[in-house]
Amino acid sequence: MKRISLLLFFCLCPCLIWAVTPVQNAVSMYRDVKGAKDYEISGAMMSMARPFLKYYSIGPLAPGVEQMFMLNMEKTDGKVRDDFEKTLSRIFQEYVYVGKTDTPNGVVDAYIHFRTSDLVDELVIYNPAIYSLYSLKGEFSVSDLREIGKKG
């Protein structure tokens, strides 16, 4: 019985450490809506994509990125988009707003989710003009995030 208990404990530990964030829950909730587009990169695909991140403003975060995902709700029904916006505004209360920046697709808002006081486990970028949500999940230091500001 002790062996089974220990085996279960060690199997569940990684799940407890790598918790699902509120934004991931929202993506799971809306990814199957008609007109929604989503993609997720993790595992071996992330290992192949990580070197290319250094060419973008998020380059300083590249070594710590374990998972990336995107959800675009632009082509969904207006009622669904409104519901999506309400869900995000509720979820973003659990995140720290870090500012806005101009992009070719409009102004985007950036949010971070802290694992500890000096360790960020998720960077979220949301473009309300095209209803696009981007998330980088991993382990990033606050100094890594400051480097994005210098590079971008």
Side-chain angles (χ1 to χ4, degrees), residues 21-49:
T21 62
V23 167
Q24 284 178 299
N25 285 332
V27 169
S28 296
M29 193 165 77
Y30 287 99
R31 75 176 358 139
D32 294 327
V33 172
K34 184 179 178 182
K37 292 181 183 177
D38 75 297
Y39 71 82
E40 179 178 343
I41 301 173
S42 61
M45 291 295 289
M46 190 67 236
S47 296
M48 292 189 314

Side-chain angles (χ1 to χ4, degrees), residues 80-99:
V80 173
R81 285 194 308 262
D82 291 343
D83 187 44
F84 178 65
E85 289 267 319
K86 288 176 188 172
T87 300
L88 288 181
S89 66
R90 188 185 79 250
I91 286 172
F92 286 151
Q93 292 175 5
E94 299 179 39
Y95 287 70
V96 176
Y97 177 74
V98 292

